[in-house]
């Protein structure tokens, strides 16, 4: 499998590349910005996995992921946001989003999962992973969510969910519906705006959706793949990079 790592912090990027070299048999190249990634793509016929910083001075992970997916069909993407992991309100079982401190073992597991995907398979994210990432990174715009034949749109303003549209539902009901779709494909457009119909804080709305859909599955013996948890107390900032031990089994 061919990986491309994009991160504007050379130390973090080198640690990522070293992790891939030490713990996998995959080839990995490292570049430091979107322009270099585009140049890399012009010179390579294949890229299977993009491991990309979500937001940086010269990196926009969402835009780059969309652009490279047009060049490399079936590209899988993992995001590295800059917000701390302690800010997350929902823990996703098979996450594709790795805030700091980066959990190296879970990242290696996600790389392994990407390597096992069939060539050309869709790049699927858990819908709650996408929405939480966009909210915590203070994004504005619209996130289009696709689940098979179902399509929905969630609108954001400075990290707040302000509106949602399903096939026939609008506002909070649409958000609660979309949030239960599980694994989805998504696209992001920063230029789209909508009038505000949702005032509930994004984390409360998503936790409500989790509870609703877990109750719906309670009789089916379906174990939830995500768990709500309260925010942790603030901790002093740490040096960026890997802080979880990488262990061989």
């Amino acid at each position: 499998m061919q990986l491309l790592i994009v991160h504007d912090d050379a130390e973090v990027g080198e640690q990522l590349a070293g992790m891939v070299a030490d713990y996998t048999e995959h080839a990995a190249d490292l570049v430091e910005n979107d322009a270099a990634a585009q140049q890399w793509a012009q010179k390579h016929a294949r890229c299977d996995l993009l491991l990309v910083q979500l937001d940086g001075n010269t990196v926009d992970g969402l835009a780059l992921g969309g652009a490279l997916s047009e060049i490399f069909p079936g590209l899988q993407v993992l995001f590295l946001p800059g917000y701390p992991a302690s800010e997350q309100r929902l823990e996703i079982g098979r996450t594709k989003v790795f805030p700091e401190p980066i959990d190296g073992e879970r990242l290696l597991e996600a790389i392994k999962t990407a390597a096992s995907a069939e060539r050309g398979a869709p790049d699927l994210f858990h819908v709650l992973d996408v929405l939480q990432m966009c909210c915590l990174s203070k994004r504005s715009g619209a996130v289009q969510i696709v689940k098979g034949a179902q399509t929905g749109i969630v609108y954001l303003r400075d990290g707040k969910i302000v509106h949602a549209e399903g096939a026939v539902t609008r506002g909070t009901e649409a958000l609660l519906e979309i949030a239960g779709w599980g694994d989805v494909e998504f696209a992001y457009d920063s230029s789209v705006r909508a009038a505000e119909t949702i005032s509930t804080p994004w984390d409360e709305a998503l936790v409500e959706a989790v509870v609703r859909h877990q109750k719906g599955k309670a009789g089916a013996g379906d174990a939830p793949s995500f768990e709500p948890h309260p925010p942790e107390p603030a901790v002093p900032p740490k040096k960026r990079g890997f802080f979880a031990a990488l262990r061989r089994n």
Side-chain angles (χ1 to χ4, degrees):
M1 183 170 71
Q2 175 65 58
L3 284 74
L4 177 62
I5 302 168
V6 184
H7 207 295
D8 67 8
D9 185 314
E11 183 180 358
V12 175
E14 289 168 3
Q15 289 184 66
L16 291 166
M19 181 196 70
V20 173
D22 291 343
Y23 292 90
T24 81
E25 297 180 352
H26 306 307
D29 290 330
L30 170 64
V31 298
E32 63 182 9
N33 55 52
D34 289 354
Q38 293 282 7
Q39 293 172 4
W40 183 95
Q42 294 172 10
K43 300 175 182 178
H44 291 75
R46 176 181 177 185
C47 185
D48 304 294
L49 177 63
L50 174 66
L51 183 54
V52 62
Q53 184 180 13
L54 182 64
D55 295 298
N57 293 329
T58 55
V59 180
D60 183 337
L62 290 178
L64 184 62
L68 294 190
S69 294
E70 295 293 323
I71 300 172
F72 303 110
L75 177 70
Q76 303 288 308
V77 183
L78 303 177
F79 291 108
L80 303 171
Y83 54 78
S86 60
E87 290 187 3
Q88 294 189 127
R89 302 298 187 263
L90 295 164
E91 183 175 349
I92 311 303
R94 286 196 172 185
T95 187
K96 298 178 75 174
V97 179
F98 297 90
E100 298 178 355
I102 296 169
D103 187 328
E105 292 187 5
R106 294 188 77 189
L107 181 55
L108 285 172
E109 186 62 32
I111 292 172
K112 181 179 179 181
T113 299
S116 66
E118 295 183 6
R119 183 172 292 277
D123 187 21
L124 299 178
F125 286 74
H126 198 291
V127 61
L128 297 179
D129 225 1
V130 173
L131 295 177
Q132 177 169 243
M133 176 181 70
C134 290
C135 290
L136 288 177
S137 59
K138 308 299 183 184
R139 290 275 177 160
S140 296
V143 182
Q144 183 179 40
I145 309 292
V146 179
K147 174 74 170 181
Q150 302 178 92
T151 300
I153 303 177
V154 177
Y155 296 87
L156 306 165
R157 185 179 303 128
D158 298 325
K160 299 177 181 178
I161 296 176
V162 296
H163 183 58
E165 298 178 0
V168 295
T169 54
R170 297 290 185 272
T172 300
E173 281 305 306
L175 177 61
L176 294 176
E177 174 191 348
I178 293 167
W181 285 357
D183 291 335
V184 300
E185 295 179 87
F186 82 97
Y188 170 76
D189 187 335
S190 62
S191 66
V192 179
R193 300 290 185 269
E196 182 171 338
T197 64
I198 298 173
S199 57
T200 304
W202 70 266
D203 51 341
E204 293 182 15
L206 294 187
V207 168
E208 181 181 346
V210 170
V211 172
R212 173 184 291 194
H213 290 285
Q214 284 181 342
K215 287 181 178 179
K217 292 180 179 180
D222 228 352
S225 60
F226 46 83
E227 293 291 343
H229 61 81
E232 299 177 4
V235 296
K238 297 180 179 179
K239 183 176 181 292
R240 298 171 67 189
F242 292 99
F243 298 96
L246 300 181
R247 299 191 298 270
R248 297 179 188 271
N249 293 326

